Short mmCIF file of all heavy atoms in Angstrom, two decimals:
data_model
loop_
_atom_site.label_atom_id
_atom_site.label_comp_id
_atom_site.label_asym_id
_atom_site.label_seq_id
_atom_site.Cartn_x
_atom_site.Cartn_y
_atom_site.Cartn_z
N THR A 200 -26.97 -22.37 27.96
CA THR A 200 -25.63 -22.92 27.77
C THR A 200 -25.03 -23.39 29.09
O THR A 200 -24.40 -24.42 29.19
CB THR A 200 -24.72 -21.86 27.14
OG1 THR A 200 -25.29 -21.46 25.89
CG2 THR A 200 -23.32 -22.43 26.85
N LEU A 204 -23.78 -27.25 29.36
CA LEU A 204 -22.34 -27.48 29.31
C LEU A 204 -21.75 -27.53 30.71
O LEU A 204 -22.27 -26.92 31.64
CB LEU A 204 -21.66 -26.40 28.44
CG LEU A 204 -22.16 -26.35 27.00
CD1 LEU A 204 -21.48 -25.25 26.24
CD2 LEU A 204 -21.91 -27.69 26.29
N PRO A 205 -20.59 -28.18 30.87
CA PRO A 205 -19.99 -28.28 32.20
C PRO A 205 -19.61 -26.93 32.76
O PRO A 205 -19.49 -25.97 32.02
CB PRO A 205 -18.71 -29.12 31.92
CG PRO A 205 -18.97 -29.82 30.64
CD PRO A 205 -19.85 -28.91 29.84
N ASN A 211 -13.31 -17.61 30.01
CA ASN A 211 -13.60 -17.83 28.60
C ASN A 211 -14.02 -19.24 28.23
O ASN A 211 -14.13 -19.57 27.05
CB ASN A 211 -12.36 -17.43 27.76
CG ASN A 211 -12.02 -15.94 27.89
OD1 ASN A 211 -12.92 -15.11 27.96
ND2 ASN A 211 -10.76 -15.63 27.97
N ALA A 212 -14.23 -20.06 29.24
CA ALA A 212 -14.50 -21.49 28.96
C ALA A 212 -15.75 -21.68 28.13
O ALA A 212 -15.74 -22.51 27.20
CB ALA A 212 -14.62 -22.27 30.26
N TYR A 213 -16.83 -20.94 28.37
CA TYR A 213 -18.03 -21.11 27.58
C TYR A 213 -17.86 -20.70 26.15
O TYR A 213 -18.35 -21.34 25.23
CB TYR A 213 -19.17 -20.31 28.24
CG TYR A 213 -19.69 -20.93 29.52
CD1 TYR A 213 -19.37 -20.39 30.75
CD2 TYR A 213 -20.45 -22.10 29.49
CE1 TYR A 213 -19.81 -20.94 31.95
CE2 TYR A 213 -20.89 -22.69 30.67
CZ TYR A 213 -20.56 -22.11 31.92
OH TYR A 213 -21.01 -22.67 33.05
N ALA A 214 -17.08 -19.64 25.91
CA ALA A 214 -16.86 -19.17 24.57
C ALA A 214 -16.05 -20.17 23.77
O ALA A 214 -16.16 -20.24 22.54
CB ALA A 214 -16.13 -17.83 24.62
N GLU A 215 -15.26 -21.01 24.45
CA GLU A 215 -14.42 -21.96 23.74
C GLU A 215 -15.16 -23.27 23.41
O GLU A 215 -14.68 -24.10 22.67
CB GLU A 215 -13.19 -22.30 24.57
CG GLU A 215 -12.25 -21.08 24.73
CD GLU A 215 -11.13 -21.34 25.73
OE1 GLU A 215 -11.10 -22.46 26.28
OE2 GLU A 215 -10.33 -20.43 25.95
N ASN A 216 -16.33 -23.49 23.98
CA ASN A 216 -17.09 -24.68 23.71
C ASN A 216 -17.68 -24.66 22.28
O ASN A 216 -17.90 -23.57 21.75
CB ASN A 216 -18.27 -24.83 24.71
CG ASN A 216 -17.84 -25.56 25.94
OD1 ASN A 216 -17.38 -26.72 25.89
ND2 ASN A 216 -17.99 -24.92 27.10
N PRO A 217 -17.92 -25.82 21.69
CA PRO A 217 -18.58 -25.83 20.39
C PRO A 217 -19.97 -25.18 20.51
O PRO A 217 -20.52 -25.11 21.60
CB PRO A 217 -18.73 -27.33 20.08
CG PRO A 217 -17.72 -28.01 20.94
CD PRO A 217 -17.56 -27.14 22.20
N ARG A 218 -20.48 -24.75 19.36
CA ARG A 218 -21.80 -24.09 19.35
C ARG A 218 -22.84 -25.05 19.95
O ARG A 218 -22.89 -26.23 19.57
CB ARG A 218 -22.14 -23.70 17.93
CG ARG A 218 -23.46 -22.97 17.79
CD ARG A 218 -23.52 -22.25 16.43
NE ARG A 218 -23.36 -23.25 15.34
CZ ARG A 218 -24.36 -23.80 14.72
NH1 ARG A 218 -25.63 -23.52 15.07
NH2 ARG A 218 -24.19 -24.69 13.74
N LEU A 219 -23.70 -24.51 20.80
CA LEU A 219 -24.70 -25.34 21.42
C LEU A 219 -25.75 -25.76 20.41
O LEU A 219 -26.27 -24.99 19.65
CB LEU A 219 -25.38 -24.52 22.56
CG LEU A 219 -26.34 -25.29 23.46
CD1 LEU A 219 -25.59 -26.35 24.26
CD2 LEU A 219 -27.03 -24.32 24.42
#
Side-chain angles (χ1 to χ4, degrees):
T200 302
L204 299 178
N211 295 322
Y213 288 105
E215 293 172 1
N216 272 302
R218 183 164 58 95
L219 188 64

